[in-house]
Amino acid sequence: MGIICNYLKPNYVLFAFIILISILQNYCFCITTQKHNNSSAGSRFSAAVATWYGDPNGAGSVGGACGYGFNVEKRPFSAMIAAGNANLFQSGMGCGACYQVKCRRSENPNCSGKAVTVTITDECGCDGQNVHFDLSGAAFGAMAKPGRAQALRNAGTFKVEYRRVRCNYPRTNLAFDIDKGSNPNYFACVVKYVNGDGDLSAVDLQTRNGNEWLPMQHSWGATWKVDLANGVKAPFSIRITTRRTNKTIVARHVIPADWQPGKSYQSLAN
Ligand SMILES: *[C@@H]1O[C@H](CO)[C@@H](O)[C@H](O)[C@H]1NC(C)=O
Ligand SMILES: *[C@@H]1O[C@H](CO)[C@@H](O)[C@H](O)[C@H]1NC(C)=O
């Protein structure tokens, strides 16, 4: 017995030591992973360039290349929008993504240093820089100290910092604007006011008399399209997959049996 115990003792110590090491290793691993995740989630600000366009207090262009229409002036965008260069707009796949943008006082004394949150609703052909936000006059002015909005807009362009953030549209339903060219054999719609990621990687449609989800193709801006076989029936359900976190949201029967081109339909699924 004594021999066995003496023989085992060092092994217990060694065993405990190994456990301790592996706990420590896991602990460090967790911290490292989290740090990495956080930075890839855009918690740090990166450098970009900002300009502004449209009316000084307006929403940039009327509408915009994402196809959200006149709505960009109204809630929930409330003119806080930006046209993105190719790295942000991403041929329309970047439509709906939200960013915080801020300018430092050291860059311009009229900057407040506070970040404004904007949604990408338009494309800008401003590709001299890696990341370029062409902000609405309203959003650009909102980066200024109180009473200095116009003075800041007069500066026209400067360096800013930006980071990706989750979109948050309070009291706003997920909306589907049916493209005017839609008909019984072709269905296209703009998807807007997506909380969270904001941008989409996939959109699928399910008809009343079909079980499978039909993948819709990205058409342009925030518009997705699909050809419909003869005899398919509405209501349609639409499933969206967000681009960054892969979250799926199903808007069941959101497109009613009597849907019409040009109309907008809403879902509480957001
Ligand atoms: C800041 O705003 C003031 C007016 O409020 C203006 O005179 C000044 O030129 C502005 N500074 C810069 C760097 O644009
Ligand atoms: C997103 O989901 C799809 C389907 O479930 C999967 O194949 C893909 O790997 C996922 N991507 C990410 C980034 O999680």
Side-chain angles (χ1 to χ4, degrees):
M1 267 317 232
I3 291 167
I4 292 169
C5 281
N6 282 340
Y7 174 72
L8 283 179
K9 240 182 215 158
N11 275 356
Y12 281 134
V13 172
L14 186 67
F15 189 59
F17 184 70
I18 287 169
I19 297 254
L20 184 69
I21 289 288
S22 67
I23 286 170
L24 283 176
Q25 256 176 352
N26 274 339
Y27 182 68
C28 295
F29 177 73
C30 282
I31 289 173
T32 321
T33 317
Q34 227 165 28
K35 246 189 192 162
H36 180 255
N37 278 349
N38 280 348
S39 68
S40 71
S43 63
R44 280 183 205 157
F45 282 90
S46 309
V49 163
T51 47
W52 64 278
Y53 74 123
D55 288 343
N57 294 300
S61 69
V62 173
C66 291
Y68 296 132
F70 294 97
N71 305 299
V72 297
E73 286 176 15
K74 298 191 192 131
R75 266 189 10 99
F77 293 140
S78 306
M80 299 303 275
I81 61 90
N85 71 341
N87 280 337
L88 293 170
F89 186 72
Q90 298 177 27
S91 306
M93 294 297 282
C95 285
C98 296
Y99 295 91
Q100 279 184 338
V101 183
K102 66 180 184 183
C103 60
R104 285 178 182 273
R105 285 174 202 203
S106 53
E107 188 63 35
N108 186 307
N110 293 319
C111 287
S112 71
K114 279 201 303 191
V116 297
T117 303
V118 293
T119 304
I120 298 294
T121 62
D122 201 359
E123 177 179 25
C124 94
C126 36
D127 271 330
Q129 306 291 333
N130 194 25
V131 178
H132 188 139
F133 290 87
D134 201 10
L135 298 165
S136 68
F140 198 91
M143 295 191 298
K145 287 179 187 165
R148 301 287 178 89
Q150 194 49 46
L152 194 65
R153 279 190 289 261
N154 288 344
T157 177
F158 44 67
K159 287 184 206 148
V160 291
E161 294 181 333
Y162 78 102
R163 67 177 174 186
R164 182 80 187 262
V165 291
R166 290 173 55 79
C167 298
N168 178 25
Y169 304 115
R171 301 182 304 282
T172 306
N173 296 334
L174 188 60
F176 301 86
D177 297 350
I178 314 286
D179 191 276
K180 288 197 177 74
S182 296
N183 61 56
N185 294 116
Y186 171 81
F187 181 86
C189 66
V190 165
V191 186
K192 65 186 183 192
Y193 312 146
V194 181
N195 277 327
D197 292 349
D199 52 354
L200 305 176
S201 59
V203 181
D204 303 275
L205 179 145
Q206 192 184 46
T207 65
R208 197 186 88 193
N209 48 344
N211 282 329
E212 81 267 39
W213 287 96
L214 308 171
M216 295 180 77
Q217 289 93 48
H218 179 239
S219 179
W220 61 274
T223 300
W224 295 72
K225 61 176 183 181
V226 65
D227 290 326
L228 300 174
N230 281 332
V232 300
K233 289 191 172 73
F236 300 146
S237 297
I238 297 183
R239 182 177 70 193
I240 61 175
T241 306
T242 68
R243 204 157 161 232
R244 221 165 146 212
T245 61
N246 235 357
K247 192 179 152 201
T248 57
I249 300 168
V250 176
R252 196 155 294 284
H253 299 164
V254 66
I255 310 298
D258 61 349
W259 67 270
Q260 283 168 25
K263 279 208 165 181
S264 184
Y265 300 99
Q266 298 187 3
S267 165
L268 297 174
N270 213 359

